[in-house]
Amino acid sequence: KGKEIISKYVEQTLSIFYDLLSNRNTFIYEEGLYAISALICATNTDDSYIELFTPNTFERLMNEFVFQALKSGNEGVINAACLLIGNLFRFLSGKIPTLNNYIHNIFNTLVGLIMNNKEMRSIHPFILRAIANIFNFTKEGDESILQLEVPFRDLLTKIYDVSHELDITNKNDTEYG
């Protein structure tokens, strides 16, 4: 019964979320991204799938909302976008053919966020989780993923190198929150 209700209102719900995301208030934007991420989970289970996006609404999500969120500079918004990216790949990688077209742009944007925002450490776990979901849930042998092997290794090496630059006697290097 719950799936019938979700299915009945999915298009209207997505439209409302997009209207909210158009607001650009950081708190609303963050919650809107989390809500879409939850909607993806609610519409995709092992035994059922409710189509959430049309090609146009998916393109809008990625170009107008996800990439803008990653460029926002707001830690909460970036974290919400990373969770959304992870859920897109976890639940929809085989169901939305154009999702894989975004792999390189997403990966490069996420890597840039880590490397250029070392002081924003609270975003790093969310970014790494999104990258892990891209790798784990993209179809095995997909050329897009295979092309990321060297850049991914480079990212891990750079993260390791940064960890050696930390000074444990410096409060700013070791304290979170």
mmCIF file of all heavy atoms in Angstrom, residues 9-58:
data_model
loop_
_atom_site.group_PDB
_atom_site.id
_atom_site.type_symbol
_atom_site.label_atom_id
_atom_site.label_comp_id
_atom_site.label_asym_id
_atom_site.label_seq_id
_atom_site.Cartn_x
_atom_site.Cartn_y
_atom_site.Cartn_z
ATOM 1 N N TYR A 9 2.158 10.031 -5.899
ATOM 2 C CA TYR A 9 2.545 11.419 -5.657
ATOM 3 C C TYR A 9 4.007 11.730 -6.009
ATOM 4 O O TYR A 9 4.479 12.829 -5.735
ATOM 5 C CB TYR A 9 2.298 11.788 -4.197
ATOM 6 C CG TYR A 9 0.831 11.745 -3.840
ATOM 7 C CD1 TYR A 9 0.297 10.685 -3.122
ATOM 8 C CD2 TYR A 9 -0.030 12.757 -4.261
ATOM 9 C CE1 TYR A 9 -1.055 10.638 -2.811
ATOM 10 C CE2 TYR A 9 -1.378 12.722 -3.956
ATOM 11 C CZ TYR A 9 -1.879 11.660 -3.232
ATOM 12 O OH TYR A 9 -3.220 11.608 -2.934
ATOM 13 N N VAL A 10 4.711 10.809 -6.629
ATOM 14 C CA VAL A 10 6.142 10.986 -6.852
ATOM 15 C C VAL A 10 6.451 12.186 -7.756
ATOM 16 O O VAL A 10 7.352 12.977 -7.470
ATOM 17 C CB VAL A 10 6.803 9.680 -7.368
ATOM 18 C CG1 VAL A 10 6.426 9.385 -8.806
ATOM 19 C CG2 VAL A 10 8.298 9.740 -7.203
ATOM 20 N N GLU A 11 5.704 12.360 -8.820
ATOM 21 C CA GLU A 11 5.965 13.469 -9.743
ATOM 22 C C GLU A 11 5.703 14.809 -9.055
ATOM 23 O O GLU A 11 6.502 15.748 -9.152
ATOM 24 C CB GLU A 11 5.088 13.331 -10.989
ATOM 25 C CG GLU A 11 5.411 14.336 -12.070
ATOM 26 C CD GLU A 11 4.571 14.109 -13.314
ATOM 27 O OE1 GLU A 11 4.313 12.952 -13.677
ATOM 28 O OE2 GLU A 11 4.169 15.127 -13.910
ATOM 29 N N GLN A 12 4.602 14.900 -8.339
ATOM 30 C CA GLN A 12 4.257 16.122 -7.620
ATOM 31 C C GLN A 12 5.280 16.412 -6.518
ATOM 32 O O GLN A 12 5.684 17.561 -6.321
ATOM 33 C CB GLN A 12 2.858 15.993 -7.028
ATOM 34 C CG GLN A 12 2.373 17.212 -6.291
ATOM 35 C CD GLN A 12 0.980 17.005 -5.710
ATOM 36 O OE1 GLN A 12 0.400 15.921 -5.774
ATOM 37 N NE2 GLN A 12 0.440 18.054 -5.116
ATOM 38 N N THR A 13 5.706 15.383 -5.827
ATOM 39 C CA THR A 13 6.685 15.541 -4.748
ATOM 40 C C THR A 13 8.011 16.055 -5.298
ATOM 41 O O THR A 13 8.601 16.988 -4.740
ATOM 42 C CB THR A 13 6.895 14.193 -4.020
ATOM 43 O OG1 THR A 13 5.640 13.742 -3.511
ATOM 44 C CG2 THR A 13 7.887 14.325 -2.887
ATOM 45 N N LEU A 14 8.467 15.471 -6.391
ATOM 46 C CA LEU A 14 9.720 15.910 -6.991
ATOM 47 C C LEU A 14 9.624 17.368 -7.442
ATOM 48 O O LEU A 14 10.549 18.154 -7.238
ATOM 49 C CB LEU A 14 10.094 15.000 -8.169
ATOM 50 C CG LEU A 14 11.502 15.174 -8.713
ATOM 51 C CD1 LEU A 14 12.542 14.893 -7.647
ATOM 52 C CD2 LEU A 14 11.709 14.252 -9.902
ATOM 53 N N SER A 15 8.497 17.743 -7.995
ATOM 54 C CA SER A 15 8.284 19.126 -8.432
ATOM 55 C C SER A 15 8.360 20.092 -7.248
ATOM 56 O O SER A 15 8.976 21.165 -7.339
ATOM 57 C CB SER A 15 6.926 19.241 -9.125
ATOM 58 O OG SER A 15 6.670 20.572 -9.488
ATOM 59 N N ILE A 16 7.776 19.706 -6.136
ATOM 60 C CA ILE A 16 7.819 20.543 -4.924
ATOM 61 C C ILE A 16 9.256 20.654 -4.415
ATOM 62 O O ILE A 16 9.711 21.749 -4.061
ATOM 63 C CB ILE A 16 6.886 19.976 -3.834
ATOM 64 C CG1 ILE A 16 5.425 20.161 -4.256
ATOM 65 C CG2 ILE A 16 7.154 20.627 -2.480
ATOM 66 C CD1 ILE A 16 4.430 19.395 -3.405
ATOM 67 N N PHE A 17 9.979 19.547 -4.418
ATOM 68 C CA PHE A 17 11.375 19.578 -3.972
ATOM 69 C C PHE A 17 12.211 20.492 -4.869
ATOM 70 O O PHE A 17 13.051 21.240 -4.387
ATOM 71 C CB PHE A 17 11.983 18.181 -3.941
ATOM 72 C CG PHE A 17 11.481 17.314 -2.821
ATOM 73 C CD1 PHE A 17 11.547 15.943 -2.928
ATOM 74 C CD2 PHE A 17 10.957 17.854 -1.652
ATOM 75 C CE1 PHE A 17 11.095 15.125 -1.897
ATOM 76 C CE2 PHE A 17 10.501 17.054 -0.622
ATOM 77 C CZ PHE A 17 10.583 15.676 -0.744
ATOM 78 N N TYR A 18 11.980 20.434 -6.174
ATOM 79 C CA TYR A 18 12.721 21.304 -7.093
ATOM 80 C C TYR A 18 12.387 22.770 -6.839
ATOM 81 O O TYR A 18 13.269 23.622 -6.916
ATOM 82 C CB TYR A 18 12.434 20.917 -8.544
ATOM 83 C CG TYR A 18 13.204 19.705 -9.031
ATOM 84 C CD1 TYR A 18 13.870 18.852 -8.158
ATOM 85 C CD2 TYR A 18 13.263 19.412 -10.375
ATOM 86 C CE1 TYR A 18 14.553 17.741 -8.607
ATOM 87 C CE2 TYR A 18 13.959 18.296 -10.848
ATOM 88 C CZ TYR A 18 14.599 17.470 -9.960
ATOM 89 O OH TYR A 18 15.288 16.386 -10.416
ATOM 90 N N ASP A 19 11.135 23.062 -6.541
ATOM 91 C CA ASP A 19 10.768 24.435 -6.202
ATOM 92 C C ASP A 19 11.495 24.894 -4.934
ATOM 93 O O ASP A 19 11.984 26.023 -4.860
ATOM 94 C CB ASP A 19 9.258 24.569 -5.997
ATOM 95 C CG ASP A 19 8.475 24.516 -7.300
ATOM 96 O OD1 ASP A 19 9.083 24.660 -8.380
ATOM 97 O OD2 ASP A 19 7.247 24.312 -7.231
ATOM 98 N N LEU A 20 11.576 24.003 -3.947
ATOM 99 C CA LEU A 20 12.291 24.332 -2.717
ATOM 100 C C LEU A 20 13.776 24.556 -2.991
ATOM 101 O O LEU A 20 14.378 25.495 -2.464
ATOM 102 C CB LEU A 20 12.127 23.216 -1.681
ATOM 103 C CG LEU A 20 10.767 23.106 -1.013
ATOM 104 C CD1 LEU A 20 10.698 21.858 -0.152
ATOM 105 C CD2 LEU A 20 10.468 24.341 -0.197
ATOM 106 N N LEU A 21 14.371 23.704 -3.808
ATOM 107 C CA LEU A 21 15.790 23.843 -4.116
ATOM 108 C C LEU A 21 16.090 25.120 -4.892
ATOM 109 O O LEU A 21 17.200 25.639 -4.832
ATOM 110 C CB LEU A 21 16.294 22.627 -4.906
ATOM 111 C CG LEU A 21 16.406 21.329 -4.111
ATOM 112 C CD1 LEU A 21 16.725 20.163 -5.039
ATOM 113 C CD2 LEU A 21 17.463 21.444 -3.033
ATOM 114 N N SER A 22 15.118 25.627 -5.605
ATOM 115 C CA SER A 22 15.308 26.868 -6.354
ATOM 116 C C SER A 22 15.435 28.074 -5.435
ATOM 117 O O SER A 22 15.885 29.140 -5.855
ATOM 118 C CB SER A 22 14.146 27.072 -7.327
ATOM 119 O OG SER A 22 14.146 26.042 -8.294
ATOM 120 N N ASN A 23 15.065 27.922 -4.172
ATOM 121 C CA ASN A 23 15.115 28.979 -3.168
ATOM 122 C C ASN A 23 16.550 29.411 -2.864
ATOM 123 O O ASN A 23 16.804 30.572 -2.644
ATOM 124 C CB ASN A 23 14.414 28.484 -1.895
ATOM 125 C CG ASN A 23 14.400 29.491 -0.786
ATOM 126 O OD1 ASN A 23 15.389 30.138 -0.491
ATOM 127 N ND2 ASN A 23 13.251 29.617 -0.144
ATOM 128 N N ARG A 24 17.461 28.485 -2.788
ATOM 129 C CA ARG A 24 18.883 28.707 -2.503
ATOM 130 C C ARG A 24 19.197 29.104 -1.060
ATOM 131 O O ARG A 24 20.332 29.432 -0.759
ATOM 132 C CB ARG A 24 19.518 29.714 -3.452
ATOM 133 C CG ARG A 24 19.446 29.347 -4.905
ATOM 134 C CD ARG A 24 20.432 28.261 -5.243
ATOM 135 N NE ARG A 24 20.525 28.161 -6.699
ATOM 136 C CZ ARG A 24 20.479 27.037 -7.362
ATOM 137 N NH1 ARG A 24 20.399 25.903 -6.713
ATOM 138 N NH2 ARG A 24 20.550 27.024 -8.664
ATOM 139 N N ASN A 25 18.224 29.087 -0.184
ATOM 140 C CA ASN A 25 18.515 29.225 1.236
ATOM 141 C C ASN A 25 19.268 27.968 1.647
ATOM 142 O O ASN A 25 18.809 26.859 1.377
ATOM 143 C CB ASN A 25 17.213 29.362 2.033
ATOM 144 C CG ASN A 25 17.445 29.340 3.518
ATOM 145 O OD1 ASN A 25 17.782 28.310 4.090
ATOM 146 N ND2 ASN A 25 17.254 30.485 4.145
ATOM 147 N N THR A 26 20.424 28.118 2.283
ATOM 148 C CA THR A 26 21.271 26.946 2.530
ATOM 149 C C THR A 26 20.582 25.870 3.360
ATOM 150 O O THR A 26 20.758 24.683 3.090
ATOM 151 C CB THR A 26 22.605 27.335 3.198
ATOM 152 O OG1 THR A 26 22.353 28.073 4.390
ATOM 153 C CG2 THR A 26 23.473 28.146 2.267
ATOM 154 N N PHE A 27 19.801 26.258 4.351
ATOM 155 C CA PHE A 27 19.127 25.249 5.180
ATOM 156 C C PHE A 27 18.067 24.507 4.378
ATOM 157 O O PHE A 27 17.943 23.281 4.463
ATOM 158 C CB PHE A 27 18.503 25.888 6.423
ATOM 159 C CG PHE A 27 19.514 26.497 7.340
ATOM 160 C CD1 PHE A 27 19.502 27.863 7.589
ATOM 161 C CD2 PHE A 27 20.492 25.718 7.952
ATOM 162 C CE1 PHE A 27 20.443 28.439 8.435
ATOM 163 C CE2 PHE A 27 21.436 26.280 8.793
ATOM 164 C CZ PHE A 27 21.413 27.654 9.034
ATOM 165 N N ILE A 28 17.304 25.242 3.587
ATOM 166 C CA ILE A 28 16.279 24.617 2.749
ATOM 167 C C ILE A 28 16.934 23.761 1.670
ATOM 168 O O ILE A 28 16.492 22.646 1.386
ATOM 169 C CB ILE A 28 15.350 25.691 2.133
ATOM 170 C CG1 ILE A 28 14.545 26.378 3.236
ATOM 171 C CG2 ILE A 28 14.430 25.090 1.077
ATOM 172 C CD1 ILE A 28 13.750 27.576 2.760
ATOM 173 N N TYR A 29 18.006 24.277 1.080
ATOM 174 C CA TYR A 29 18.727 23.555 0.027
ATOM 175 C C TYR A 29 19.258 22.220 0.546
ATOM 176 O O TYR A 29 19.080 21.179 -0.082
ATOM 177 C CB TYR A 29 19.874 24.438 -0.469
ATOM 178 C CG TYR A 29 20.335 24.131 -1.872
ATOM 179 C CD1 TYR A 29 19.608 24.567 -2.967
ATOM 180 C CD2 TYR A 29 21.506 23.428 -2.098
ATOM 181 C CE1 TYR A 29 20.033 24.316 -4.259
ATOM 182 C CE2 TYR A 29 21.937 23.163 -3.385
ATOM 183 C CZ TYR A 29 21.196 23.610 -4.462
ATOM 184 O OH TYR A 29 21.619 23.355 -5.728
ATOM 185 N N GLU A 30 19.890 22.270 1.708
ATOM 186 C CA GLU A 30 20.426 21.053 2.332
ATOM 187 C C GLU A 30 19.311 20.047 2.589
ATOM 188 O O GLU A 30 19.425 18.863 2.231
ATOM 189 C CB GLU A 30 21.131 21.425 3.636
ATOM 190 C CG GLU A 30 21.718 20.250 4.387
ATOM 191 C CD GLU A 30 22.383 20.684 5.686
ATOM 192 O OE1 GLU A 30 22.649 21.894 5.892
ATOM 193 O OE2 GLU A 30 22.635 19.781 6.517
ATOM 194 N N GLU A 31 18.225 20.487 3.202
ATOM 195 C CA GLU A 31 17.117 19.583 3.503
ATOM 196 C C GLU A 31 16.460 19.049 2.234
ATOM 197 O O GLU A 31 16.027 17.905 2.180
ATOM 198 C CB GLU A 31 16.086 20.281 4.398
ATOM 199 C CG GLU A 31 16.595 20.590 5.792
ATOM 200 C CD GLU A 31 17.081 19.364 6.555
ATOM 201 O OE1 GLU A 31 16.443 18.292 6.470
ATOM 202 O OE2 GLU A 31 18.106 19.483 7.240
ATOM 203 N N GLY A 32 16.377 19.889 1.206
ATOM 204 C CA GLY A 32 15.812 19.445 -0.070
ATOM 205 C C GLY A 32 16.633 18.337 -0.703
ATOM 206 O O GLY A 32 16.085 17.356 -1.227
ATOM 207 N N LEU A 33 17.955 18.466 -0.650
ATOM 208 C CA LEU A 33 18.825 17.407 -1.183
ATOM 209 C C LEU A 33 18.668 16.114 -0.381
ATOM 210 O O LEU A 33 18.611 15.022 -0.948
ATOM 211 C CB LEU A 33 20.279 17.871 -1.186
ATOM 212 C CG LEU A 33 20.616 19.021 -2.140
ATOM 213 C CD1 LEU A 33 22.028 19.528 -1.886
ATOM 214 C CD2 LEU A 33 20.440 18.601 -3.592
ATOM 215 N N TYR A 34 18.590 16.261 0.945
ATOM 216 C CA TYR A 34 18.366 15.078 1.787
ATOM 217 C C TYR A 34 17.012 14.433 1.469
ATOM 218 O O TYR A 34 16.889 13.203 1.442
ATOM 219 C CB TYR A 34 18.428 15.428 3.275
ATOM 220 C CG TYR A 34 19.827 15.567 3.826
ATOM 221 C CD1 TYR A 34 20.175 16.682 4.585
ATOM 222 C CD2 TYR A 34 20.792 14.599 3.617
ATOM 223 C CE1 TYR A 34 21.452 16.818 5.111
ATOM 224 C CE2 TYR A 34 22.073 14.723 4.141
ATOM 225 C CZ TYR A 34 22.396 15.839 4.881
ATOM 226 O OH TYR A 34 23.657 15.967 5.403
ATOM 227 N N ALA A 35 16.005 15.249 1.224
ATOM 228 C CA ALA A 35 14.668 14.725 0.927
ATOM 229 C C ALA A 35 14.655 13.963 -0.395
ATOM 230 O O ALA A 35 14.052 12.886 -0.497
ATOM 231 C CB ALA A 35 13.649 15.865 0.901
ATOM 232 N N ILE A 36 15.334 14.491 -1.406
ATOM 233 C CA ILE A 36 15.398 13.774 -2.690
ATOM 234 C C ILE A 36 16.171 12.474 -2.522
ATOM 235 O O ILE A 36 15.788 11.437 -3.073
ATOM 236 C CB ILE A 36 16.016 14.667 -3.785
ATOM 237 C CG1 ILE A 36 15.053 15.807 -4.110
ATOM 238 C CG2 ILE A 36 16.327 13.856 -5.046
ATOM 239 C CD1 ILE A 36 15.612 16.846 -5.059
ATOM 240 N N SER A 37 17.217 12.517 -1.730
ATOM 241 C CA SER A 37 17.982 11.300 -1.455
ATOM 242 C C SER A 37 17.102 10.244 -0.786
ATOM 243 O O SER A 37 17.138 9.062 -1.144
ATOM 244 C CB SER A 37 19.178 11.647 -0.565
ATOM 245 O OG SER A 37 20.032 10.559 -0.428
ATOM 246 N N ALA A 38 16.295 10.675 0.173
ATOM 247 C CA ALA A 38 15.368 9.754 0.846
ATOM 248 C C ALA A 38 14.308 9.231 -0.116
ATOM 249 O O ALA A 38 13.925 8.056 -0.058
ATOM 250 C CB ALA A 38 14.711 10.450 2.031
ATOM 251 N N LEU A 39 13.848 10.089 -1.015
ATOM 252 C CA LEU A 39 12.855 9.668 -2.004
ATOM 253 C C LEU A 39 13.428 8.602 -2.937
ATOM 254 O O LEU A 39 12.734 7.659 -3.311
ATOM 255 C CB LEU A 39 12.362 10.883 -2.799
ATOM 256 C CG LEU A 39 11.163 10.685 -3.708
ATOM 257 C CD1 LEU A 39 9.942 10.195 -2.929
ATOM 258 C CD2 LEU A 39 10.836 11.991 -4.431
ATOM 259 N N ILE A 40 14.699 8.745 -3.283
ATOM 260 C CA ILE A 40 15.357 7.713 -4.102
ATOM 261 C C ILE A 40 15.342 6.386 -3.363
ATOM 262 O O ILE A 40 15.032 5.347 -3.948
ATOM 263 C CB ILE A 40 16.793 8.147 -4.464
ATOM 264 C CG1 ILE A 40 16.757 9.304 -5.453
ATOM 265 C CG2 ILE A 40 17.587 6.975 -5.039
ATOM 266 C CD1 ILE A 40 18.105 9.972 -5.682
ATOM 267 N N CYS A 41 15.655 6.412 -2.074
ATOM 268 C CA CYS A 41 15.626 5.174 -1.269
ATOM 269 C C CYS A 41 14.222 4.597 -1.202
ATOM 270 O O CYS A 41 14.035 3.382 -1.308
ATOM 271 C CB CYS A 41 16.131 5.444 0.142
ATOM 272 S SG CYS A 41 17.853 5.897 0.252
ATOM 273 N N ALA A 42 13.232 5.463 -1.030
ATOM 274 C CA ALA A 42 11.848 5.005 -0.880
ATOM 275 C C ALA A 42 11.277 4.419 -2.163
ATOM 276 O O ALA A 42 10.361 3.600 -2.117
ATOM 277 C CB ALA A 42 10.959 6.159 -0.405
ATOM 278 N N THR A 43 11.799 4.833 -3.297
ATOM 279 C CA THR A 43 11.246 4.371 -4.574
ATOM 280 C C THR A 43 12.027 3.211 -5.177
ATOM 281 O O THR A 43 11.696 2.754 -6.276
ATOM 282 C CB THR A 43 11.194 5.529 -5.599
ATOM 283 O OG1 THR A 43 12.503 6.083 -5.753
ATOM 284 C CG2 THR A 43 10.216 6.603 -5.152
ATOM 285 N N ASN A 44 13.033 2.742 -4.462
ATOM 286 C CA ASN A 44 13.867 1.644 -4.966
ATOM 287 C C ASN A 44 14.146 0.634 -3.867
ATOM 288 O O ASN A 44 14.915 0.912 -2.957
ATOM 289 C CB ASN A 44 15.202 2.196 -5.481
ATOM 290 C CG ASN A 44 15.032 3.040 -6.698
ATOM 291 O OD1 ASN A 44 14.966 2.516 -7.790
ATOM 292 N ND2 ASN A 44 14.934 4.352 -6.512
ATOM 293 N N THR A 45 13.508 -0.504 -3.973
ATOM 294 C CA THR A 45 13.779 -1.589 -3.043
ATOM 295 C C THR A 45 14.129 -2.823 -3.856
ATOM 296 O O THR A 45 14.067 -2.812 -5.086
ATOM 297 C CB THR A 45 12.558 -1.881 -2.142
ATOM 298 O OG1 THR A 45 11.466 -2.288 -2.979
ATOM 299 C CG2 THR A 45 12.166 -0.659 -1.330
ATOM 300 N N ASP A 46 14.461 -3.887 -3.159
ATOM 301 C CA ASP A 46 14.824 -5.127 -3.857
ATOM 302 C C ASP A 46 13.688 -5.656 -4.718
ATOM 303 O O ASP A 46 13.912 -6.225 -5.776
ATOM 304 C CB ASP A 46 15.250 -6.204 -2.850
ATOM 305 C CG ASP A 46 16.565 -5.865 -2.184
ATOM 306 O OD1 ASP A 46 17.352 -5.088 -2.765
ATOM 307 O OD2 ASP A 46 16.814 -6.381 -1.078
ATOM 308 N N ASP A 47 12.461 -5.456 -4.267
ATOM 309 C CA ASP A 47 11.327 -6.056 -4.971
ATOM 310 C C ASP A 47 10.501 -5.073 -5.798
ATOM 311 O O ASP A 47 9.565 -5.483 -6.488
ATOM 312 C CB ASP A 47 10.418 -6.797 -3.989
ATOM 313 C CG ASP A 47 9.878 -5.891 -2.888
ATOM 314 O OD1 ASP A 47 10.475 -4.827 -2.645
ATOM 315 O OD2 ASP A 47 8.862 -6.256 -2.286
ATOM 316 N N SER A 48 10.824 -3.777 -5.752
ATOM 317 C CA SER A 48 10.045 -2.843 -6.565
ATOM 318 C C SER A 48 10.861 -1.614 -6.925
ATOM 319 O O SER A 48 11.818 -1.259 -6.244
ATOM 320 C CB SER A 48 8.766 -2.424 -5.835
ATOM 321 O OG SER A 48 9.075 -1.595 -4.746
ATOM 322 N N TYR A 49 10.436 -0.977 -7.997
ATOM 323 C CA TYR A 49 11.084 0.229 -8.481
ATOM 324 C C TYR A 49 10.017 1.176 -8.994
ATOM 325 O O TYR A 49 9.183 0.794 -9.811
ATOM 326 C CB TYR A 49 12.077 -0.112 -9.600
ATOM 327 C CG TYR A 49 12.581 1.078 -10.392
ATOM 328 C CD1 TYR A 49 13.371 2.044 -9.795
ATOM 329 C CD2 TYR A 49 12.263 1.228 -11.734
ATOM 330 C CE1 TYR A 49 13.828 3.128 -10.517
ATOM 331 C CE2 TYR A 49 12.724 2.311 -12.462
ATOM 332 C CZ TYR A 49 13.510 3.261 -11.845
ATOM 333 O OH TYR A 49 13.968 4.335 -12.559
ATOM 334 N N ILE A 50 10.040 2.388 -8.497
ATOM 335 C CA ILE A 50 9.133 3.424 -8.974
ATOM 336 C C ILE A 50 9.997 4.450 -9.689
ATOM 337 O O ILE A 50 10.924 5.018 -9.088
ATOM 338 C CB ILE A 50 8.367 4.084 -7.807
ATOM 339 C CG1 ILE A 50 7.511 3.049 -7.076
ATOM 340 C CG2 ILE A 50 7.514 5.243 -8.312
ATOM 341 C CD1 ILE A 50 6.938 3.555 -5.767
ATOM 342 N N GLU A 51 9.698 4.682 -10.959
ATOM 343 C CA GLU A 51 10.496 5.634 -11.718
ATOM 344 C C GLU A 51 10.276 7.033 -11.171
ATOM 345 O O GLU A 51 9.160 7.547 -11.132
ATOM 346 C CB GLU A 51 10.132 5.578 -13.196
ATOM 347 C CG GLU A 51 11.097 6.361 -14.041
ATOM 348 C CD GLU A 51 10.928 6.095 -15.521
ATOM 349 O OE1 GLU A 51 10.530 4.980 -15.891
ATOM 350 O OE2 GLU A 51 11.193 7.031 -16.287
ATOM 351 N N LEU A 52 11.355 7.637 -10.754
ATOM 352 C CA LEU A 52 11.310 8.938 -10.115
ATOM 353 C C LEU A 52 11.608 10.069 -11.094
ATOM 354 O O LEU A 52 10.976 11.120 -11.050
ATOM 355 C CB LEU A 52 12.322 8.958 -8.962
ATOM 356 C CG LEU A 52 12.466 10.200 -8.121
ATOM 357 C CD1 LEU A 52 11.148 10.598 -7.485
ATOM 358 C CD2 LEU A 52 13.497 9.957 -7.030
ATOM 359 N N PHE A 53 12.564 9.849 -11.980
ATOM 360 C CA PHE A 53 13.042 10.915 -12.851
ATOM 361 C C PHE A 53 12.704 10.647 -14.314
ATOM 362 O O PHE A 53 12.812 9.524 -14.783
ATOM 363 C CB PHE A 53 14.566 11.044 -12.743
ATOM 364 C CG PHE A 53 15.052 11.363 -11.369
ATOM 365 C CD1 PHE A 53 15.620 10.383 -10.569
ATOM 366 C CD2 PHE A 53 14.942 12.643 -10.863
ATOM 367 C CE1 PHE A 53 16.082 10.675 -9.303
ATOM 368 C CE2 PHE A 53 15.396 12.948 -9.587
ATOM 369 C CZ PHE A 53 15.966 11.963 -8.808
ATOM 370 N N THR A 54 12.339 11.709 -15.012
ATOM 371 C CA THR A 54 12.313 11.682 -16.476
ATOM 372 C C THR A 54 13.719 12.106 -16.909
ATOM 373 O O THR A 54 14.495 12.615 -16.083
ATOM 374 C CB THR A 54 11.290 12.683 -17.038
ATOM 375 O OG1 THR A 54 11.733 14.018 -16.714
ATOM 376 C CG2 THR A 54 9.892 12.437 -16.481
ATOM 377 N N PRO A 55 14.066 11.943 -18.162
ATOM 378 C CA PRO A 55 15.387 12.442 -18.587
ATOM 379 C C PRO A 55 15.581 13.932 -18.264
ATOM 380 O O PRO A 55 16.655 14.335 -17.807
ATOM 381 C CB PRO A 55 15.391 12.190 -20.101
ATOM 382 C CG PRO A 55 14.513 10.983 -20.259
ATOM 383 C CD PRO A 55 13.417 11.182 -19.236
ATOM 384 N N ASN A 56 14.548 14.729 -18.444
ATOM 385 C CA ASN A 56 14.660 16.167 -18.164
ATOM 386 C C ASN A 56 14.809 16.469 -16.682
ATOM 387 O O ASN A 56 15.621 17.320 -16.290
ATOM 388 C CB ASN A 56 13.459 16.925 -18.721
ATOM 389 C CG ASN A 56 13.486 17.008 -20.226
ATOM 390 O OD1 ASN A 56 14.538 16.863 -20.853
ATOM 391 N ND2 ASN A 56 12.326 17.229 -20.817
ATOM 392 N N THR A 57 14.029 15.809 -15.836
ATOM 393 C CA THR A 57 14.133 16.088 -14.400
ATOM 394 C C THR A 57 15.470 15.586 -13.844
ATOM 395 O O THR A 57 16.015 16.178 -12.915
ATOM 396 C CB THR A 57 12.964 15.493 -13.587
ATOM 397 O OG1 THR A 57 12.920 14.077 -13.764
ATOM 398 C CG2 THR A 57 11.640 16.139 -13.984
ATOM 399 N N PHE A 58 15.994 14.517 -14.422
ATOM 400 C CA PHE A 58 17.297 14.027 -13.975
ATOM 401 C C PHE A 58 18.401 15.004 -14.376
ATOM 402 O O PHE A 58 19.276 15.332 -13.562
ATOM 403 C CB PHE A 58 17.593 12.634 -14.533
ATOM 404 C CG PHE A 58 18.929 12.136 -14.089
ATOM 405 C CD1 PHE A 58 19.130 11.743 -12.782
ATOM 406 C CD2 PHE A 58 20.003 12.105 -14.967
ATOM 407 C CE1 PHE A 58 20.371 11.322 -12.345
ATOM 408 C CE2 PHE A 58 21.249 11.680 -14.549
ATOM 409 C CZ PHE A 58 21.442 11.288 -13.237
#
